[in-house]
Structure formats: structure tokens, C-alpha cells
């Protein structure tokens, strides 16, 4: 039985996302405008969900569809060939044994090619029967160039599906872990699909950095980076507004017969920060804390759930912090210290000085690409995307963050002395802490 709020793949109350032009981003509601579609967004924003909707559309319509996850250890060519092999049974029923002969031969040839694309070396030291043997094996470049396997597979699938005027969908999820060679192969495949004119679609999902990585990889291997952006139908899975997310919370609660206060819903929506995956985590924790309370979901329950989810997320926040450069940490710290309103980037780059503003701007771009910070519509202000991480960073750099000691329902609230003036007021005894070039005041 699915949870009250569903799963990331099958949410109980999905949201119809729209882009800046008020068009739905889902492929089952708006056909692709180009042969290559790229869903972008931070982790948990619904990219895989969008791929799942497109995959379900293909299944319902009887269209050939291969879906794989990128891997840093195995080439995409191998994964696609293996996925095609698994689908041969279903394709045989749909297109017949004779119609499948050419595709089967192509898959067999591609499988043998993939197995042969290994180089190896062996060194033996000593005299038999006692010898020291050292071996090394590595992937060899494809004989026909980057992406030739994917190009050939796409062509054969396109020819097969054309017999019934069906489109073909080739899907790649988790693009962020793909190797540069895989990214170059995908870029070459995108160009091949555009040239061929076949109704074969490459549909991929990755973070905001995906497009930059595709351009970089393609320039290094195939020399076609300049055409990447014009060939891609980019659809962003960005943060959602409170009004968009509210029904995903209130409707499942209503259907489950769980009473809920408007203030409790507001608390959870604010803590989610427009992130549907985080809202699901918060909501599930809140429902688990309700127990037998007759008043259902109250503001106190929501606050307790937020505190518990934030506490459980500390290891994730620490890992994100550890992966940041010194400049990114400094920018994160400054942004967190400004609270929900965020940091003015024009003021920050001006303060950095003529020789340092590029480093600040690069740090901003990397944090935005990883989904740690968000820009406002005009791009002149950034804020930390996850309110829980904002509080964690404030504590991490010594700021007087929002008090995290929220009591569980039914237990006594901890004794906390409020600050004299607002959330960031200094106490009578202070010290300083240095993070990068920024000095912060620490309350003792």
C-alpha cells in the first residue's frame, strides 16, 4: 500500500508543472519541440517523475521505449544495448519475427563490439613456478567514433517503428554521473537524430549543470558544442509556489480523513521551500507524529516534524558543505546570514573588488547549478534553497540560528531564552569566527 502522499514516482496528488510561457512541461501533455528533450532541476524536484510519465505514455501507445540510468562505471552504449536486448520479446510480438530480424542482427553486432572494446596489459616478473603477475584492463575507444553505437541503434529502432508510424523514445536518467565520453556520445546522438529526420526522441534528465557539461564534453570530443543549445528542448523542474504545492498536501489528508489546521499546512509549505520531495518527507513525518491526537495535524506537530527532518538531514548538509570550494562556502555563509531574504549579488560582487568578482560569480553559478541556492527572477539576489540547510549553515558558521529545539507533540517544550532584538541579535558575550574572508560574530 502506498503512503498517504504517494511515492516520488507515483505521487498521490501530482502537480502539473508549467514553464514561463504557461505551457505544461510534461511530454504527455505537450509533445517535444525537438528530437532531444532535457529535464533539468535540483535533486528531488521531479525530473525522474517526468521521465516516468513519458515512459508510461509510450507504454500505453505501444511505442518502443528504452530507459537507462547513466553510470560512472559502465558506458551508456552498453546499457542501451542491454536494454534493447531485454525488449526484444515485446518488440517481436508487436512487429513480428521477420520485421525484427535486422534489429536483432544489429544488437548482436553491437554486443560483440562492446565486448571487444577493451584494452589490456599483463606484466610477469620472476621465473616459473613463482611469478608476480600484474594485469590492467581499460575501455578502448569505439572503432567508429564516439556515439556510433547509439546512432546505429537509434536508426534501427526508428526504421522498425516507422513501419507502424510509431515514434521511439530513448531515455537517460541521472545524467550528472555520466562520463564525458557518454555526454559526448549523447550530443552526437542528438545531432544524428536531427539529421535523420526520424521520429526518434532522446529524453534525458540532469541538474542545472547538465547543459554546461554536455557542451564541454562535446567540444572536447566531437566539436559540435556550438549547436547543443539550439537542438535541446530544455524543460526546467524548478521550485513550486505554495499555491501549487498546497493541494498535494491537503487533498491526501482530506482523503485519508486527517484533520489539519491551516497554520500547520503553512508551516510545512514554508519549510519545504518549494521543493516537492522535501514537502513529501516533511508531511510523512508529520502524519507519523499525529498518533491518536483528535485535533490531527496542528502547527505544533508540523514544527516537530520540521525539527526532526532537519536533524536527520544534517549529514546531507555536511556532505554538501564539504563538497563546496572555499569561495562557495564563503558565499553560502554570507547568504545564510541574511536569512530568507537572501544576498544581493550586485552588492557582493562590488564589495569583492575588481580582481575578485569573477570568483564570486563562479561560486554563485556553481551553487545555483547544484540546487543549493536560488536566484530571484531578476537574478540580482540569491537565497539558500532549503530553509533547513540555511539554519544549519548559520549554526555551522556561528550565527545565532533559529532555535531547533522544538518539542515533540505531548512533551514539554525546552526552555529557550529569546534574543533581545530579533533572530540575529547579539548576546552580551560574543566572539568572532573567520570563514574565508568573512568574519562572523558568535554568541556565547
Amino acid at each position: 500500500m502506498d503512503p498517504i502522499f504517494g511515492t516520488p514516482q507515483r505521487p498521490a496528488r501530482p502537480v502539473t508543472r508549467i514553464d514561463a510561457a504557461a505551457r505544461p512541461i510534461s511530454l504527455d501533455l505537450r509533445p517535444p519541440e525537438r528530437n532531444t528533450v532535457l529535464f533539468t532541476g535540483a535533486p528531488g524536484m521531479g525530473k525522474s517523475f517526468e521521465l516516468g510519465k513519458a515512459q508510461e505514455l509510450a507504454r500505453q501507445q505501444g511505442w518502443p521505449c528504452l530507459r537507462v540510468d547513466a553510470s560512472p562505471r559502465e558506458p551508456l552504449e552498453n546499457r542501451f544495448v542491454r536494454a534493447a536486448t531485454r525488449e526484444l520479446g515485446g518488440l517481436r510480438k508487436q512487429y513480428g519475427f521477420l520485421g525484427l530480424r535486422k534489429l536483432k542482427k544489429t544488437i548482436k553486432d553491437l554486443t560483440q563490439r562492446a565486448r571487444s572494446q577493451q584494452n589490456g596489459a599483463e606484466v610477469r616478473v620472476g621465473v616459473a613456478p613463482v611469478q608476480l603477475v600484474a594485469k590492467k584492463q581499460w575501455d578502448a575507444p569505439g572503432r567508429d567514433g564516439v556515439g556510433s553505437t547509439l546512432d546505429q541503434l537509434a536508426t534501427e529502432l526508428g526504421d522498425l517503428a516507422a513501419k507502424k508510424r510509431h515514434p521511439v523514445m530513448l531515455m537517460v536518467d541521472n545524467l550528472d554521473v555520466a562520463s564525458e565520453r557518454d555526454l559526448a556520445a549523447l550530443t552526437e546522438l542528438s545531432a544524428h537524430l536531427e539529421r535523420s529526420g526520424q521520429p526518434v526522441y532522446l529524453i534525458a534528465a540532469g541538474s542545472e549543470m547538465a547543459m554546461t557539461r554536455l557542451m564541454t564534453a562535446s567540444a572536447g570530443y566531437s566539436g559540435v558544442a556550438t549547436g547543443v543549445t539550439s537542438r535541446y528542448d530544455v524543460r526546467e523542474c524548478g521550485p513550486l509556489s505554495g499555491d501549487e504545492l498546497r493541494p498535494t498536501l491537503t487533498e491526501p489528508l482530506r482523503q485519508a480523513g486527517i484533520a489539519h489546521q491551516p497554520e500547520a499546512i503553512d508551516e510545512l509549505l514554508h519549510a519545504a521551500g518549494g521543493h516537492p520531495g522535501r514537502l513529501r518527507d516533511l508531511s510523512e513525518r508529520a502524519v507519523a507524529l499525529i498518533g491518536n491526537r483528535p485535533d490531527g495535524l496542528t502547527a505544533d506537530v508540523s514544527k516537530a516534524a520540521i525539527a526532526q527532518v532537519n536533524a536527520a538531514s544534517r549529514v546531507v548538509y555536511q556532505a554538501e558543505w564539504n563538497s563546496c570550494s572555499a569561495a562557495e562556502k564563503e558565499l553560502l555563509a554570507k547568504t545564510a546570514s541574511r536569512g530568507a531574504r537572501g544576498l544581493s549579488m550586485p552588492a557582493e560582487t562590488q564589495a569583492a573588488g575588481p580582481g575578485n568578482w569573477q570568483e564570486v560569480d563562479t561560486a554563485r553559478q556553481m551553487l545555483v547549478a547544484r540546487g543549493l541556492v536560488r536566484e530571484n527572477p531578476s537574478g540580482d539576489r540569491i537565497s539558500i534553497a532549503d530553509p533547513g540547510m540555511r539554519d544549519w549553515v548559520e549554526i555551522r558558521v556561528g550565527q545565532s540560528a533559529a532555535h531547533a529545539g522544538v518539542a515533540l507533540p505531548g512533551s514539554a517544550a525546552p526552555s529557550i531564552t529569546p534574543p533581545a532584538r530579533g533572530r540575529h541579535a547579539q548576546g552580551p558575550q560574543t566572539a568572532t569566527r573567520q570563514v574565508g574572508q568573512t568574519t562572523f560574530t558568535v554568541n556565547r
Side-chain angles (χ1 to χ4, degrees), residues 393-405:
V393 172
E394 285 187 300
I395 294 171
R396 177 69 172 74
V397 299
Q399 288 294 306
S400 55
H403 297 295

Side-chain angles (χ1 to χ4, degrees), residues 294-337:
D295 46 355
L297 180 59
T298 63
D300 287 341
V301 172
S302 292
K303 291 175 181 177
I306 294 167
Q308 290 191 11
V309 170
N310 286 350
S313 300
R314 288 173 188 164
V315 63
V316 177
Y317 300 152
Q318 183 69 63
E320 293 283 12
W321 176 269
N322 291 344
S323 65
C324 291
S325 67
E328 291 164 7
K329 288 178 180 178
E330 183 171 353
L331 191 57
L332 265 181
K334 289 182 177 180
T335 306
S337 70

